[in-house]
């Protein structure tokens, strides 16, 4: 029993460490967001916005830069060989990919007729994981294989733990008046 708890605990620590640049990119995009929307206010063929006012250049840049800065700090721990060694490419693709995933989600949300900020359970919570993983696999396949594919338990932990963490941070963001909705 204790062994199992210790294993799960360790999995959560390692999964969070590996995902940290992506995890930080999302909320810092909220903090730095605002100003010109990425779709420049333009509409898609269906008459709805391409991404909507919730996806801005400042958010995209601010979130990516924060994720990369944190990744650089994490790289200082590479020599510990405990939690996986980051590459410069991996920290960029994890941060930027997270926000690309979030943007892709907004695109589909608008196509489905959801207004900006509308709740989209599970998709809202895993969009950035999928984005971070796909971009990282595309640009740093060796790193992605060594750190994620090689340990499917880590991937499963990320998938199960992220929605929980996401809920928590968004509730905090909501009460800190950074977000309009607590999700
Ligand atoms: N944000 C931003 N730029 C991004 C991502 C987020 O400016 N690339 C900011 C916006 O102010 C946004 C807030 O962070 O309103 C919350 O992000 P999110 O929940 O992803 O967007 P929503 O407003 O909920 O819009 P959507 O319905 O498109 O998800
Ligand atoms: Mg939202």
């Amino acid at each position: 029993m204790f062994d199992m708890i210790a294993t799960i605990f360790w999995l959560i620590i390692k999964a969070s460490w590996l995902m940290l640049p992506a995890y930080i990119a999302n909320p810092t995009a909220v903090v730095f967001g605002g100003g010109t929307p990425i779709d420049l206010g333009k509409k898609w063929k269906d008459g709805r916005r391409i991404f909507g006012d919730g996806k801005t250049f400042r958010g995209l840049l601010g979130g990516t830069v924060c994720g990369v800065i944190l990744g650089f700090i994490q790289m200082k721990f590479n020599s510990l060989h405990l939690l996986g060694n980051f590459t410069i490419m991996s920290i960029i693709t994890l941060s930027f990919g997270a926000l690309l995933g979030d943007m892709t989600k907004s695109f589909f949300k608008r196509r489905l007729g959801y207004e900006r900020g509308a709740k989209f359970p599970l998709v809202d919570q895993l969009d950035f994981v999928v984005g971070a993983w796909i971009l990282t696999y595309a640009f740093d396949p060796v790193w992605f294989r060594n750190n994620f594919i090689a340990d499917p338990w880590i991937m499963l932990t990320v998938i199960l733990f992220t929605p929980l963490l996401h809920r928590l941070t968004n509730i905090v963001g909501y009460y800190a008046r950074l977000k309009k909705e607590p999700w």
Side-chain angles (χ1 to χ4, degrees), residues 46-81:
D46 56 13
R48 294 177 187 279
R49 289 286 296 278
I50 302 174
F51 301 117
D53 284 331
K55 304 298 118 148
T56 67
F57 286 110
R58 260 168 43 194
L60 185 64
L61 194 74
T64 304
V65 168
C66 288
V68 170
I69 289 174
L70 187 67
F72 271 116
I73 295 169
Q74 289 180 276
M75 281 179 88
K76 302 261 176 242
F77 296 88
N78 273 358
S79 55
L80 294 180
H81 297 296

Side-chain angles (χ1 to χ4, degrees), residues 60-128:
L60 185 64
L61 194 74
T64 304
V65 168
C66 288
V68 170
I69 289 174
L70 187 67
F72 271 116
I73 295 169
Q74 289 180 276
M75 281 179 88
K76 302 261 176 242
F77 296 88
N78 273 358
S79 55
L80 294 180
H81 297 296
L82 262 176
L83 296 158
N85 298 335
F86 286 96
T87 58
I88 291 182
M89 182 56 90
S90 69
I91 62 178
I92 295 171
T93 55
L94 286 170
S95 310
F96 190 59
L99 295 172
L100 279 188
D102 171 62
M103 232 167 86
T104 309
K105 179 233 20 215
S106 291
F107 176 80
F108 287 110
K109 257 171 114 173
R110 299 298 92 80
R111 304 291 73 72
L112 291 168
Y114 286 89
E115 295 301 329
R116 170 197 175 179
K119 206 173 177 174
F120 200 161
L122 252 121
V123 179
D124 269 331
Q125 293 152 13
L126 290 171
D127 53 4
F128 71 96

